[in-house]
Amino acid sequence: MQQPEALTDLDVASATKSVMKKLPEVTLAFWIMKVAATTLGETAGDLFSQTLKLGYFLTTIALFLIFVVTLVVQLRSSRYNPFFYWTVILSTSMAGTTMSDFMNRDASSKYLSVGATSLGWGPQGLGLGYPSGAAILLSILVIIFAIWRLSGMTFQIRDIVTFRGEALFWSAILVSNTLGTSMGDFLSDSSGLGYAGGALLVTGALVVLVALMKVPVVPNVLLFWIAFVLTRPLGATAGDFLTKPAAKGGLDLGTAGSSAVLLAVLLGLMAYAHVQERTPATS
C-alpha cells in the first residue's frame, strides 16, 4: 500500500493558520466596514454620554466593560467570525469615543448642550485638551508597538494566530480608536475646518496612503496601521457631521436616528461578510 507523503513544516504552518485564522483579510470591504463601525462608535458613544446624559465617566466605564465582554468572546472563538470581530471593533470605537471625551473635555459650557449645567454623575472630564490628550495616547500606542516589536511577533494581521498576538493587536486597536477620536474632534471643533473639512482632509491623507502602496520602500504594514488610525477621525468627523446641529455645520439628524441607520448598515455588512466566509473558494 502506498504510504502518504510526509507533511513539510510549511504544510503544517499553512494548516495551522487555516484553522486558527482569527482576523479578517484586509480588502476594500474591510475598510468600508471599519469606517461604518467607527462612525457608529462616534454616534453611539455620544448617544449614551450626551443625549441620554449619562456623562463621560459612567459611559466610559460601561462601554469599557462591554469591550471586555466582546473581547473575551472574540478571544475564545476558535476561528474568524465576522460578527465577533466587528462587534469588538464597534465596542472599541464606542469606548474610545467616551474615553477621549473624558480625557480632553471638561464641564464648561463649551462641551454641554444649551441650558445644561452638568452631564451625568461623577467627574465631567479631565480637561486635558485635544493636543495633550492625543500626545498621551500616541505615546501609549508607540509603547504598545515597541513591546509588540520586541516580542518578535508579526504585525501582519492575517498571520496573527496566538493569544498574545491578539492581545497586543486589540490593545493597539483600543488605543488607536481613542487617539483617532481625539484627532477627529480636534479637526471638527478646534482646527477651523469644520466637520466636512476635517473629513475631506482625512480622506485626502488616506488617498496618499493608497498611492504609497505602490512604493516598494514603504512597508504595507506601516501604511495599514496609519490608515487604521486615520479611519477613526474620518468616522468621528462623519459622525459629528450627521448628528451635530445645523448651526455648528452638521446635518442635525440626532444621535439616536444616526446610530440606528449606521447599525443597520453595519449589521448588513457583517451578514454579507459572514456569508462570504462560509462560501467555499473556487479555483
Side-chain angles (χ1 to χ4, degrees):
M1 185 172 64
Q2 185 178 6
Q3 295 294 325
E5 294 182 4
L7 290 176
T8 65
D9 291 342
L10 181 60
D11 293 329
V12 173
S14 298
T16 301
K17 287 182 180 179
S18 175
V19 172
M20 296 295 292
K21 177 173 176 285
K22 299 287 296 292
L23 303 175
E25 297 292 332
V26 180
T27 62
L28 178 60
F30 171 91
W31 292 113
I32 293 173
M33 294 178 72
K34 172 62 164 60
V35 174
T38 53
T39 306
L40 175 57
E42 178 73 16
T43 60
D46 288 345
L47 170 65
F48 290 115
S49 64
Q50 299 178 28
T51 305
L52 298 180
K53 301 187 183 304
L54 296 179
Y56 303 130
F57 182 70
L58 282 180
T59 306
T60 294
I61 293 174
L63 293 180
F64 186 81
L65 291 176
I66 291 174
F67 159 68
V68 171
V69 171
T70 59
L71 180 59
V72 169
V73 173
Q74 164 68 18
L75 293 175
R76 289 177 62 86
S77 176
S78 61
R79 62 175 60 241
Y80 170 60
N81 183 306
F83 286 98
F84 295 166
Y85 175 84
W86 289 105
T87 299
V88 185
I89 291 290
L90 175 59
S91 67
T92 61
S93 297
M94 292 192 298
T97 295
T98 54
M99 288 167 62
S100 170
D101 288 345
F102 179 72
M103 289 178 63
N104 300 326
R105 298 181 178 184
D106 54 37
S108 66
S109 59
K110 177 182 178 181
Y111 300 113
L112 298 175
S113 302
V114 177
T117 57
S118 64
L119 186 64
W121 176 85
Q124 298 307 306
L126 301 178
L128 298 177
Y130 299 126
S132 297
I136 292 171
L137 292 165
L138 181 59
S139 299
I140 296 173
L141 188 59
V142 169
I143 292 172
I144 292 173
F145 281 132
I147 295 172
W148 196 339
R149 176 75 174 180
L150 292 173
S151 73
M153 289 182 288
T154 179
F155 286 102
Q156 293 277 8
I157 72 167
R158 66 174 179 269
D159 296 333
I160 296 174
V161 295
T162 65
F163 177 87
R164 188 167 58 163
E166 267 202 283
L168 286 168
F169 173 79
W170 288 114
S171 298
I173 295 299
L174 178 63
V175 176
S176 67
N177 276 335
T178 309
L179 171 62
T181 302
S182 296
M183 294 169 60
D185 287 342
F186 171 76
L187 291 174
S188 299
D189 298 337
S190 304
S191 68
L193 294 174
Y195 307 123
L200 287 174
L201 177 63
V202 176
T203 301
L206 291 171
V207 170
V208 172
L209 293 180
V210 172
L212 287 175
M213 291 177 62
K214 305 298 183 181
V215 181
V217 296
V218 182
N220 281 348
V221 173
L222 175 62
L223 295 177
F224 167 82
W225 282 104
I226 295 175
F228 205 97
V229 172
L230 287 179
T231 48
R232 184 61 185 97
L234 179 61
T237 53
D240 286 340
F241 180 64
L242 291 173
T243 60
K244 299 302 182 183
K248 292 186 176 181
L251 296 180
D252 200 16
L253 299 180
T255 55
S258 298
S259 297
V261 172
L262 289 166
L263 179 60
V265 170
L266 184 60
L267 287 174
L269 291 171
M270 290 163 65
Y272 174 77
H274 185 67
V275 171
Q276 291 296 103
E277 274 294 312
R278 295 176 64 89
T279 302
T282 57
S283 56

